[in-house]
Amino acid sequence: MRPSKRAPDEMRAVSFERGVMRHAEGSCLVKFGETHVLVSATLEERLPPWLKGQGRGWVTAEYAMLPRATHDRTRRESTTGKQSGRTQEIQRLIGRSLRSVTDLVALGEKQITLDCDVLQADGGTRTASITGAWIALYDCLTWMKSRSMVREMPLKQHVAAVSCGIYEGTAVLDLDYAEDSVAETDANFVMTGTGGIVEIQGTAEKTPFTQDELLSLLALARSGIDQLVSLQKLAVG
């Protein structure tokens, strides 16, 4: 039995609240159960120096956790003078995921930065960030299109992410912290709305997992991604 009493293939309650930040071109408060992430999308005319003059844009991301997003206070990384390896890895993953479904040529020589700030953490902060960032990016691009800043919608399709794992010998979907902290296997899946795989991160925390177990996790992930993409479509109308 899962600590949350959920069935193995049951996700936590997921919600998206759009337009929560007055000044951002796009924003979304995404909730995966008790994991809450505030995502804002910022349009900028500047580009990374290595992209200038190439006729295409860029989508990037930054990720951070508020000090009391966790049970004990986490020191702000700005006070240490550098980001942790975990933070850098997560924000690169978010950026890669959103670029995979964005037509950077159609975007033009502009950059969109997705700031993902974890307000409350209970497992799956990176998957919630990616899924909510798609909403914020969609709203930012819609804002641009309404002002004739892009000719066509640069978003090619949906992208979402979900965690899966082996908990007490059973493959389960969308791990919360109580499961994630003791799972035998922990994996994150990033997939498009058409079922394409963007990235898979999988780790055997205790016992190495088998090919059959990997396939069972992939099947669970596809089910979860289908649910998330359906919710994204409902959110943006």
Side-chain angles (χ1 to χ4, degrees):
M1 176 65 74
R2 304 178 72 175
S4 61
K5 312 300 181 188
R6 287 181 286 145
D9 61 349
E10 183 181 354
M11 292 195 59
R12 292 173 286 181
V14 176
S15 68
F16 304 110
E17 183 180 353
R18 298 164 65 197
V20 293
M21 299 186 72
R22 177 181 180 184
H23 301 294
E25 284 77 32
S27 61
C28 175
L29 175 60
V30 53
K31 297 181 180 180
F32 277 36
E34 294 302 321
T35 288
H36 303 170
V37 183
L38 177 62
V39 186
S40 63
T42 300
L43 172 65
E44 299 174 291
E45 294 294 332
R46 65 182 179 88
L47 279 173
W50 53 271
L51 258 183
K52 289 183 178 179
Q54 295 189 27
R56 60 191 176 101
W58 194 244
V59 176
T60 188
E62 294 189 11
Y63 168 95
M65 294 182 67
L66 295 186
R68 284 313 304 269
T70 52
H71 185 270
D72 297 315
R73 185 183 187 275
T74 303
R75 187 179 178 188
R76 293 181 191 272
E77 292 186 344
S78 60
T79 65
T80 68
K82 64 178 182 179
Q83 291 180 317
S84 69
R86 176 182 181 274
T87 294
Q88 294 181 50
E89 182 251 324
I90 291 175
Q91 59 191 29
R92 287 169 182 161
L93 170 65
I94 298 167
R96 286 195 302 271
S97 300
L98 274 297
R99 287 195 297 274
S100 74
V101 294
T102 304
D103 185 338
L104 297 177
V105 174
L107 177 60
E109 294 194 351
K110 301 175 181 65
Q111 175 170 282
I112 297 174
T113 301
L114 297 158
D115 287 293
C116 303
D117 291 290
V118 180
L119 309 181
Q120 184 169 285
D122 186 34
T125 60
R126 72 187 69 193
T127 56
S129 295
I130 291 167
T131 308
W134 186 91
I135 300 281
L137 179 60
Y138 175 91
D139 283 348
C140 178
L141 294 171
T142 300
W143 183 92
M144 292 173 65
K145 192 170 186 299
S146 70
R147 290 160 176 77
S148 300
M149 299 175 73
V150 290
R151 293 183 179 180
E152 56 189 46
M153 188 60 160
L155 263 184
K156 296 179 287 187
Q157 58 179 312
H158 291 254
V159 72
V162 72
S163 64
C164 298
I166 307 294
Y167 174 76
E168 294 187 347
T170 300
V172 296
L173 176 65
D174 189 24
L175 283 70
D176 55 28
Y177 180 75
E179 295 169 325
D180 184 53
S181 59
V182 296
E184 295 100 88
T185 297
D186 178 26
N188 297 299
F189 295 82
V190 185
M191 303 173 72
T192 68
T194 57
I197 297 172
V198 177
E199 191 153 339
I200 298 175
Q201 301 176 330
T203 304
E205 302 289 352
K206 296 178 182 177
T207 306
F209 55 95
T210 66
Q211 178 175 309
D212 287 343
E213 287 174 325
L214 175 60
L215 293 176
S216 68
L217 293 176
L218 178 59
L220 279 176
R222 286 191 184 278
S223 170
I225 296 293
D226 286 345
Q227 294 177 56
L228 292 170
V229 168
S230 293
L231 290 171
Q232 286 176 336
K233 289 178 178 178
L234 284 173
V236 301

Coordinates of all heavy atoms in Angstrom, one line a residue, residues 8-48:
P8 N -1.4 2.0 -7.7 CA -0.1 2.2 -8.4 C -0.1 3.1 -9.6 O 0.9 3.8 -9.8 CB 0.3 0.7 -8.8 CG -0.5 -0.1 -7.8 CD -1.8 0.6 -7.5
D9 N -1.2 3.1 -10.3 CA -1.2 3.9 -11.6 C -2.0 5.2 -11.4 O -2.4 5.9 -12.3 CB -1.8 3.1 -12.7 CG -3.3 2.7 -12.4 OD1 -3.7 2.8 -11.2 OD2 -3.9 2.2 -13.3
E10 N -2.1 5.6 -10.1 CA -2.9 6.8 -9.8 C -2.0 8.0 -9.5 O -1.1 7.9 -8.7 CB -3.8 6.6 -8.6 CG -4.7 7.8 -8.3 CD -5.6 7.5 -7.1 OE1 -5.6 6.3 -6.6 OE2 -6.3 8.4 -6.6
M11 N -2.2 9.1 -10.2 CA -1.5 10.3 -10.0 C -2.0 11.1 -8.8 O -3.2 10.9 -8.4 CB -1.4 11.2 -11.2 CG -0.6 10.6 -12.4 SD -0.2 11.8 -13.7 CE 0.7 13.0 -12.8
R12 N -1.3 12.1 -8.3 CA -1.8 13.0 -7.4 C -2.7 14.0 -8.1 O -2.7 14.1 -9.3 CB -0.6 13.8 -6.7 CG 0.3 13.0 -5.8 CD 1.5 13.7 -5.3 NE 2.5 13.9 -6.4 CZ 3.7 14.5 -6.3 NH1 4.0 15.0 -5.1 NH2 4.5 14.6 -7.3
A13 N -3.5 14.8 -7.3 CA -4.3 15.8 -7.9 C -3.4 16.8 -8.6 O -2.4 17.3 -7.9 CB -5.2 16.4 -6.9
V14 N -3.7 17.2 -9.8 CA -2.9 18.1 -10.6 C -3.7 19.3 -11.0 O -4.9 19.2 -11.4 CB -2.3 17.5 -11.9 CG1 -1.5 18.5 -12.7 CG2 -1.4 16.3 -11.5
S15 N -3.2 20.5 -10.8 CA -3.9 21.7 -11.2 C -3.0 22.8 -11.8 O -1.8 22.8 -11.4 CB -4.7 22.3 -10.0 OG -3.8 22.8 -9.1
F16 N -3.5 23.6 -12.7 CA -2.8 24.7 -13.2 C -3.6 26.0 -13.0 O -4.7 26.1 -13.4 CB -2.5 24.5 -14.8 CG -1.9 23.3 -15.1 CD1 -2.6 22.2 -15.8 CD2 -0.5 23.1 -14.9 CE1 -2.0 21.1 -16.1 CE2 0.1 21.9 -15.2 CZ -0.6 20.9 -15.9
E17 N -2.9 27.0 -12.5 CA -3.5 28.4 -12.4 C -2.7 29.3 -13.2 O -1.6 29.6 -13.0 CB -3.6 28.8 -10.9 CG -4.3 30.2 -10.8 CD -4.3 30.6 -9.3 OE1 -3.9 29.8 -8.4 OE2 -4.8 31.8 -9.1
R18 N -3.3 29.9 -14.3 CA -2.6 30.7 -15.2 C -2.7 32.2 -14.8 O -3.6 32.6 -14.1 CB -3.2 30.6 -16.6 CG -3.1 29.2 -17.2 CD -4.1 29.0 -18.4 NE -3.7 29.8 -19.5 CZ -4.5 30.1 -20.5 NH1 -5.7 29.5 -20.5 NH2 -4.1 30.8 -21.5
G19 N -1.8 33.0 -15.3 CA -1.8 34.4 -15.2 C -1.7 34.9 -13.7 O -2.3 35.9 -13.3
V20 N -0.9 34.2 -12.9 CA -0.8 34.6 -11.5 C 0.2 35.7 -11.2 O 0.3 36.2 -10.1 CB -0.4 33.3 -10.7 CG1 -1.6 32.3 -10.7 CG2 0.9 32.7 -11.1
M21 N 1.0 36.1 -12.2 CA 2.0 37.1 -12.0 C 1.7 38.3 -13.0 O 1.6 38.1 -14.2 CB 3.4 36.6 -12.3 CG 3.8 35.5 -11.3 SD 5.5 35.0 -11.4 CE 6.3 36.4 -10.7
R22 N 1.5 39.4 -12.4 CA 1.0 40.6 -13.2 C 2.0 41.0 -14.3 O 1.5 41.4 -15.4 CB 0.8 41.7 -12.2 CG 0.4 43.0 -12.9 CD 0.2 44.1 -11.8 NE -0.2 45.4 -12.4 CZ -0.4 46.5 -11.7 NH1 -0.2 46.5 -10.4 NH2 -0.8 47.6 -12.4
H23 N 3.3 41.0 -14.0 CA 4.2 41.6 -15.0 C 4.8 40.6 -16.0 O 5.4 41.0 -17.0 CB 5.3 42.3 -14.2 CG 4.9 43.3 -13.3 ND1 4.3 44.5 -13.7 CD2 4.8 43.4 -11.9 CE1 3.9 45.3 -12.7 NE2 4.3 44.6 -11.6
A24 N 4.7 39.3 -15.7 CA 5.3 38.3 -16.6 C 4.4 38.1 -17.9 O 3.2 38.2 -17.8 CB 5.4 37.0 -15.9
E25 N 5.1 37.8 -19.0 CA 4.4 37.6 -20.2 C 3.6 36.3 -20.2 O 2.7 36.1 -21.0 CB 5.4 37.6 -21.4 CG 5.9 38.9 -21.9 CD 6.9 39.5 -20.9 OE1 7.7 38.7 -20.3 OE2 7.0 40.8 -20.8
G26 N 4.0 35.4 -19.3 CA 3.2 34.2 -19.1 C 3.6 33.6 -17.7 O 4.7 33.8 -17.2
S27 N 2.6 33.0 -17.0 CA 2.9 32.5 -15.7 C 1.9 31.4 -15.3 O 0.8 31.4 -15.9 CB 2.8 33.6 -14.6 OG 1.6 34.2 -14.5
C28 N 2.3 30.5 -14.5 CA 1.5 29.4 -14.1 C 1.9 28.9 -12.7 O 3.1 28.7 -12.4 CB 1.6 28.3 -15.1 SG 0.7 26.8 -14.6
L29 N 0.9 28.7 -11.8 CA 1.1 28.0 -10.5 C 0.6 26.6 -10.7 O -0.5 26.3 -10.9 CB 0.3 28.7 -9.4 CG 0.4 28.0 -8.0 CD1 1.8 27.9 -7.5 CD2 -0.5 28.7 -7.0
V30 N 1.6 25.7 -10.7 CA 1.3 24.3 -11.0 C 1.4 23.5 -9.7 O 2.3 23.7 -8.9 CB 2.2 23.7 -12.0 CG1 3.7 23.9 -11.7 CG2 2.0 22.2 -12.2
K31 N 0.4 22.6 -9.5 CA 0.4 21.8 -8.3 C 0.3 20.3 -8.6 O -0.6 19.9 -9.3 CB -0.8 22.2 -7.4 CG -0.7 23.6 -6.8 CD -1.9 23.9 -5.9 CE -1.9 25.4 -5.4 NZ -3.0 25.7 -4.5
F32 N 1.3 19.5 -8.1 CA 1.2 18.1 -8.2 C 1.0 17.7 -6.7 O 2.0 17.5 -6.0 CB 2.5 17.5 -8.7 CG 2.6 17.4 -10.2 CD1 2.1 18.4 -11.0 CD2 3.3 16.4 -10.8 CE1 2.3 18.4 -12.4 CE2 3.5 16.3 -12.2 CZ 2.9 17.3 -13.0
G33 N -0.2 17.5 -6.3 CA -0.4 17.2 -4.9 C 0.1 18.3 -4.0 O -0.3 19.5 -4.2
E34 N 1.0 18.0 -3.1 CA 1.5 19.0 -2.2 C 2.8 19.6 -2.7 O 3.5 20.4 -2.0 CB 1.8 18.4 -0.8 CG 0.5 18.0 -0.1 CD -0.4 19.1 0.2 OE1 0.1 20.3 0.5 OE2 -1.6 18.9 0.0
T35 N 3.2 19.3 -3.9 CA 4.3 20.0 -4.6 C 3.8 21.2 -5.4 O 2.9 21.0 -6.3 CB 5.1 19.0 -5.5 OG1 5.8 18.1 -4.7 CG2 6.1 19.8 -6.4
H36 N 4.2 22.4 -5.1 CA 3.7 23.6 -5.7 C 4.8 24.4 -6.3 O 5.8 24.7 -5.6 CB 2.9 24.5 -4.7 CG 1.8 23.8 -4.0 ND1 1.2 24.4 -2.9 CD2 1.2 22.6 -4.2 CE1 0.2 23.6 -2.5 NE2 0.2 22.5 -3.3
V37 N 4.7 24.7 -7.6 CA 5.8 25.4 -8.3 C 5.2 26.6 -9.0 O 4.2 26.5 -9.8 CB 6.5 24.5 -9.3 CG1 7.7 25.3 -9.9 CG2 7.1 23.3 -8.6
L38 N 5.8 27.8 -8.8 CA 5.4 29.0 -9.5 C 6.4 29.2 -10.7 O 7.6 29.3 -10.5 CB 5.5 30.2 -8.6 CG 5.2 31.6 -9.2 CD1 3.7 31.6 -9.7 CD2 5.4 32.7 -8.2
V39 N 5.8 29.2 -11.9 CA 6.6 29.4 -13.2 C 6.2 30.7 -13.8 O 5.0 31.0 -14.0 CB 6.3 28.2 -14.1 CG1 7.3 28.3 -15.3 CG2 6.5 26.9 -13.4
S40 N 7.2 31.5 -14.2 CA 7.0 32.7 -15.0 C 7.8 32.6 -16.3 O 8.9 32.0 -16.3 CB 7.4 33.9 -14.2 OG 8.8 33.9 -13.9
A41 N 7.3 33.2 -17.3 CA 8.0 33.3 -18.6 C 8.3 34.7 -18.9 O 7.4 35.6 -18.9 CB 7.1 32.6 -19.7
T42 N 9.5 35.0 -19.2 CA 10.0 36.4 -19.5 C 10.5 36.4 -20.9 O 11.5 35.7 -21.3 CB 11.1 36.8 -18.5 OG1 10.5 36.7 -17.2 CG2 11.5 38.2 -18.8
L43 N 10.0 37.4 -21.7 CA 10.5 37.6 -23.0 C 11.6 38.7 -23.0 O 11.4 39.7 -22.4 CB 9.3 38.1 -23.9 CG 9.7 38.5 -25.3 CD1 10.3 37.4 -26.1 CD2 8.5 39.2 -26.0
E44 N 12.7 38.4 -23.7 CA 13.8 39.3 -23.7 C 14.3 39.4 -25.2 O 14.3 38.4 -25.9 CB 15.0 38.9 -22.8 CG 14.6 38.8 -21.3 CD 15.7 38.2 -20.5 OE1 16.0 37.0 -20.6 OE2 16.3 39.0 -19.7
E45 N 14.8 40.6 -25.6 CA 15.3 40.8 -26.9 C 16.7 40.3 -27.0 O 17.2 40.0 -28.1 CB 15.2 42.3 -27.3 CG 13.8 42.8 -27.4 CD 13.1 42.2 -28.6 OE1 13.7 41.8 -29.6 OE2 11.8 42.1 -28.5
R46 N 17.4 40.1 -25.9 CA 18.8 39.7 -25.9 C 18.9 38.2 -26.1 O 18.0 37.4 -25.8 CB 19.5 40.1 -24.6 CG 19.0 39.4 -23.4 CD 19.8 39.9 -22.1 NE 19.3 39.2 -20.9 CZ 19.8 38.1 -20.5 NH1 20.7 37.5 -21.2 NH2 19.3 37.6 -19.4
L47 N 20.0 37.8 -26.7 CA 20.3 36.4 -26.9 C 21.7 36.0 -26.4 O 22.5 36.9 -26.2 CB 20.3 36.1 -28.4 CG 19.0 35.9 -29.2 CD1 19.2 35.8 -30.7 CD2 18.3 34.6 -28.7
P48 N 21.9 34.7 -26.1 CA 23.3 34.3 -25.8 C 24.2 34.7 -26.9 O 23.9 34.6 -28.1 CB 23.2 32.8 -25.7 CG 21.8 32.5 -25.4 CD 21.0 33.6 -26.1

